[in-house]
């Protein structure tokens, strides 16, 4: 099969070594005679899988002992409701930073359950930056402060972790978790859909400080109570077993390849190469994001002549460069270059972009 590079924003590319392991173990996991998809989630085989996955995830992020790791269903969307239901009351004020599409979806949902204060927004400059923290309008008594560390659609990434003081800091890290070093102790809760940097869709990871558990408001559905999942070690119901298995393999792949610090160095190299290609194109391509806030994971760009968009996408596909069309809400192009995207893939894309510009 011809080599292809998949730049999808999610579900996204997985490490080839992981896929080959899945292929080899698909019908018989470690001599059990069973596929992971056939196993009881309470059997000894899957118990080993989920315990190893959690241990490796904790090692990768150096997660402190007073934090729970939860493997649950529903993707990041589930947390848009779970967070206010578990961390706030109906009369609470909750602070949100609006930096793009996913921030706004989270804000819209939180308004169903609490009083939302928009502490800062980047809409004044078309979503192209992260507002200076010094100008944020924070509430004195907020139940928590929420932000999205990387906007997958817009391509804006926080270059810093906000200071929240005694207010629990909550972060949607769906598209950049495990891509850069992180001090988990600065956060009250971190959540991430798996389908970008971790594994298949349908799995959602939560890292939550233990003192924030057990406070769900009366009437919270059982499946939306973090404490229920924590008390059952993520096995209250049948979890997404195959997704957890693949995530565990990704964690082992990361550890074998230098862990998060090594991934961060590679991600800087990949993103720098692609942005340099865009910036050196004499205006043929342009990136709408201000330089200090450009995402290392999701690189949006436009062609100066939008009439060439279809030709660009067709030629890219012919070169084995897939899923480069931008999100329908913003148009243009987008290259998602998560941990599993090799440097060679970005080199091939950059060379293609230069050739296409010369030819047009």
């Amino acid at each position: 099969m011809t080599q292809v590079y998949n730049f999808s924003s999610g579900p996204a590319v997985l490490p080839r070594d992981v896929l080959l392991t899945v292929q080899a173990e698909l019908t018989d996991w470690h001599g059990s005679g069973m596929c992971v998809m056939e196993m009881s989630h309470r059997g000894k085989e899957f118990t080993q899988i989920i315990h190893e996955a959690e241990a490796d995830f904790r090692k990768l992020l150096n997660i402190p002992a007073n934090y729970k790791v939860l493997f649950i269903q529903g993707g990041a969307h589930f947390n848009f409701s779970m967070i206010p239901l578990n961390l706030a009351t109906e009369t609470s004020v909750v602070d949100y930073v609006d930096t793009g599409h996913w921030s706004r979806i989270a804000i819209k949902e939180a308004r169903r359950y609490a009083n939302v204060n928009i502490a800062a927004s980047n809409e004044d400059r078309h979503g192209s930056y992260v507002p200076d923290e010094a100008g944020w309008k924070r509430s004195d008594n907020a139940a928590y402060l929420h932000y999205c560390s990387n906007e997958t659609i817009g391509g804006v990434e926080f270059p810093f972790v906000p200071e929240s003081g005694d207010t629990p800091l909550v972060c949607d890290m769906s598209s950049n978790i495990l891509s850069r070093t992180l001090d988990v102790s600065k956060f009250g809760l971190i959540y991430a859909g798996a389908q970008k940097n971790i594994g298949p869709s349908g799995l959602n990871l939560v890292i939550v400080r233990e003192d924030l558990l057990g406070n769900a408001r009366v009437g919270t559905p059982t499946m939306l109570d973090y404490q229920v999942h924590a008390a059952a070690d993520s096995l209250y119901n049948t979890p997404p077993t195959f997704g957890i298995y693949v995530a565990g393999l990704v964690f082992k792949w990361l550890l074998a390849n230098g862990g998060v610090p090594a991934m961060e160095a590679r991600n800087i190299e990949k993103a720098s190469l692609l942005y340099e290609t865009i910036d050196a194109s004499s205006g043929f391509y342009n990136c709408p994001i201000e330089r200090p806030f450009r995402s290392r994971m999701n690189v949006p760009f436009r062609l100066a002549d939008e009439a060439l968009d279809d030709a660009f996408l067709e030629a890219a596909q012919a070169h084995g460069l897939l899923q480069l069309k931008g999100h329908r809400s913003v148009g243009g192009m987008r290259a998602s270059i998560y941990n599993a995207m090799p440097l060679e893939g970005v080199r091939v894309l950059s060379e293609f972009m230069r050739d296409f510009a010369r030819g047009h």
Side-chain angles (χ1 to χ4, degrees):
M1 183 177 179
T2 304
Q3 173 70 61
V4 301
Y5 294 104
N6 175 15
F7 293 93
S8 172
S9 63
V13 62
L14 287 165
R16 182 169 177 79
D17 289 348
V18 168
L19 294 176
L20 291 173
T21 300
V22 171
Q23 182 183 50
E25 297 181 346
L26 188 61
T27 60
D28 183 4
W29 182 82
H30 294 203
S32 67
M34 294 182 289
C35 171
V36 173
M37 288 184 282
E38 302 171 313
M39 292 176 179
S40 166
H41 62 294
R42 303 193 188 282
K44 64 178 182 179
E45 295 87 0
F46 186 72
T47 298
Q48 178 183 338
I49 289 170
I50 194 171
H51 284 175
E52 286 187 11
E54 178 177 341
D56 289 341
F57 185 57
R58 285 183 174 277
K59 188 182 302 182
L60 283 163
L61 289 179
N62 193 27
I63 298 173
N66 64 322
Y67 284 73
K68 290 286 189 181
V69 171
L70 311 178
F71 296 91
I72 57 180
Q73 293 158 318
H77 273 85
F78 235 27
N79 290 279
F80 295 161
S81 302
M82 294 177 81
I83 290 163
L85 286 172
N86 282 264
L87 304 187
T89 68
E90 292 180 1
T91 58
S92 293
V93 175
V94 293
D95 285 351
Y96 277 71
V97 180
D98 173 7
T99 51
H101 177 88
W102 292 111
S103 298
R104 288 164 203 152
I105 297 294
I107 288 166
K108 181 180 179 181
E109 189 66 13
R111 283 182 168 143
R112 295 164 57 91
Y113 306 107
N115 300 303
V116 174
N117 169 56
I118 305 301
S121 173
N122 65 2
E123 285 191 285
D124 61 324
R125 300 212 298 262
H126 308 289
S128 64
Y129 75 111
V130 174
D132 186 342
E133 193 175 8
W136 292 8
K137 295 181 172 66
R138 299 273 306 279
S139 305
D140 292 333
N141 59 341
Y144 59 84
L145 169 65
H146 178 285
Y147 77 110
C148 177
S149 57
N150 184 73
E151 288 282 357
T152 318
I153 292 175
V156 170
E157 186 168 18
F158 272 71
F160 63 90
V161 173
E163 294 294 336
S164 65
D166 294 332
T167 302
L169 183 61
V170 177
C171 185
D172 177 356
M173 290 190 188
S174 292
S175 53
N176 68 349
I177 194 167
L178 296 170
S179 71
R180 56 170 66 209
T181 54
L182 181 70
D183 182 356
V184 172
S185 68
K186 291 185 176 183
F187 297 84
L189 187 148
I190 295 168
Y191 64 101
Q195 67 272 17
K196 303 175 188 299
N197 248 342
I198 294 174
S201 59
L203 171 64
N204 173 40
L205 274 75
V206 176
I207 306 168
V208 56
R209 205 172 64 218
E210 290 180 347
D211 65 287
L212 298 177
L213 295 169
N215 300 309
R217 69 181 66 175
V218 175
T220 298
T222 301
M223 286 296 293
L224 298 186
D225 187 341
Y226 288 126
Q227 175 61 27
V228 169
H229 297 283
D233 292 329
S234 300
L235 296 171
Y236 173 76
N237 68 317
T238 306
T241 55
F242 196 75
I244 293 169
Y245 157 67
V246 177
L249 293 178
V250 171
F251 300 155
K252 291 186 184 302
W253 176 81
L254 288 168
L255 288 168
N257 284 275
V260 174
M263 287 298 121
E264 180 168 24
R266 295 174 198 177
N267 290 329
I268 291 171
E269 184 177 7
K270 289 186 296 185
S272 297
L273 173 58
L274 190 47
Y275 285 119
E276 286 168 8
T277 300
I278 295 167
D279 294 339
S281 68
S282 300
F284 189 88
Y285 305 107
N286 67 83
C287 174
I289 307 305
E290 297 176 22
R291 289 174 189 261
F293 313 106
R294 288 177 169 183
S295 171
R296 297 174 187 170
M297 297 285 96
N298 309 100
V299 179
F301 61 95
R302 293 180 175 275
L303 280 67
D305 183 358
E306 293 184 3
L308 292 173
D309 283 4
D310 289 344
F312 178 90
L313 291 168
E314 290 173 9
Q317 184 159 347
H319 281 75
L321 304 168
L322 310 180
Q323 305 289 326
L324 285 167
K325 188 174 182 177
H327 190 270
R328 62 186 180 276
S329 66
V330 295
M333 309 296 161
R334 174 178 53 176
S336 295
I337 50 176
Y338 301 120
N339 285 342
M341 173 58 65
L343 176 60
E344 181 60 23
V346 179
R347 285 176 175 155
V348 172
L349 173 59
S350 295
E351 182 179 349
F352 164 77
M353 290 172 64
R354 290 191 292 269
D355 288 345
F356 187 86
R358 283 192 292 266
H360 293 80

